[in-house]
Amino acid sequence: YLQQLNDSFRQADIEIEDSFCAARMDADIILPTDARRNGCALVNIGAETTTIAIYNNDMMRNLVVLPLGSNNITMDLCSAQISIDEAEEIKITRGYKSQGNDYAPIETDTINNIINARMNEILQNVKYQIENFKEKINHLIFTGGGSKLKNLELLFDEYLPNFKCEIISEPQFSLVSSDNVNIYGIFSTALYSLLKQGSVNCCE
């Protein structure tokens, strides 16, 4: 894939200065030094994928990308004949073990069952990858948009009872465009990490 990308840029007369591993950049921003040294897994639950970066002795020891993300929940909610925007709002504001809401377009039990099934799929795959790694890892640090799911900790208790799980939010910041419009970074960790890698003033 990287070779195809390089070829495409080369045909457009655009030179790639360098490339970075997003999971490693995320770890530089999010993971405490002690966690990287003592052994942990950084689990980034994104929209389309879930990335598992295993660290030990202050080094990345393994990297796995699962084709599962929080959008799976959204799409399942949409099967109840609601819009994507409505499904996203329900997922974020109500989350798992949500209480009844007379104005909700989906029954509470349906919401809980969908979230339970999809997060079970993601967390069981995370567990499988970590348990099959040759080094013992018990500390899991979650980040990414999917980690903001309300009451996610209850699912940790159900599916990852033998792991120490915690959620660490990405740094939040905003950019201002040329027409003075604030642009809040959806991929804030990647943007923040990429900005930190910059060492040359492109304007000059």
Side-chain angles (χ1 to χ4, degrees):
Y1 172 77
L2 286 175
Q3 184 60 49
Q4 292 175 350
L5 189 64
N6 285 333
D7 291 342
S8 298
F9 277 112
R10 194 174 297 110
Q11 291 174 7
D13 291 328
I14 298 174
E15 182 180 352
I16 297 177
E17 181 68 24
D18 204 348
S19 60
F20 305 96
C21 174
R24 180 168 291 168
M25 290 190 297
D26 285 351
D28 289 344
I29 302 300
I30 295 172
L31 288 184
T33 302
D34 288 346
R36 290 200 303 263
R37 183 181 299 118
N38 298 330
C40 70
L42 177 63
V43 183
N44 188 323
I45 305 177
E48 304 289 344
T49 61
T50 296
T51 304
I52 308 165
I54 298 178
Y55 275 80
N56 204 1
N57 295 324
D58 209 23
M59 294 177 59
M60 183 189 289
R61 310 287 290 178
N62 196 29
L63 178 64
V64 178
V65 180
L66 304 174
L68 302 167
S70 62
N71 268 2
N72 295 98
I73 297 173
T74 304
M75 293 300 104
D76 283 355
L77 291 172
C78 285
S79 66
Q81 306 302 312
I82 64 173
S83 69
I84 291 179
D85 289 341
E86 287 177 306
E88 277 291 320
E89 183 178 357
I90 288 171
K91 180 180 71 175
I92 294 170
T93 60
R94 297 188 64 186
Y96 184 55
K97 294 290 186 183
S98 64
Q99 301 301 312
N101 184 341
D102 294 337
Y103 301 100
I106 306 178
E107 292 183 0
T108 299
D109 287 345
T110 302
I111 296 172
N112 289 331
N113 290 338
I114 287 174
I115 292 176
N116 191 321
R118 283 303 186 178
M119 289 307 301
N120 174 27
E121 184 179 27
I122 291 173
L123 296 178
Q124 292 291 1
N125 274 278
V126 169
K127 179 182 177 183
Y128 174 82
Q129 294 295 334
I130 292 171
E131 287 183 341
N132 279 272
F133 185 60
K134 61 183 178 180
E135 299 174 18
K136 189 172 181 62
I137 300 293
N138 292 318
H139 187 188
L140 310 186
I141 297 175
F142 288 81
T143 187
S147 69
K148 296 179 176 64
L149 181 71
K150 189 176 179 180
N151 294 328
L152 179 58
E153 295 87 350
L154 299 177
L155 290 161
F156 292 158
D157 293 339
E158 287 186 44
Y159 300 117
L160 300 170
N162 298 322
F163 293 89
K164 174 188 174 184
C165 298
E166 62 178 307
I167 301 170
I168 296 183
S169 299
E170 316 98 317
Q172 298 298 313
F173 70 101
S174 65
L175 303 175
V176 179
S177 66
S178 58
D179 51 358
N180 293 321
V181 176
N182 280 322
I183 304 171
Y184 292 91
I186 298 174
F187 307 103
S188 56
T189 305
L191 283 171
Y192 187 72
S193 303
L194 283 168
L195 289 172
K196 280 199 66 177
Q197 299 295 330
S199 59
V200 177
N201 187 341
C202 299
C203 296
E204 296 178 352

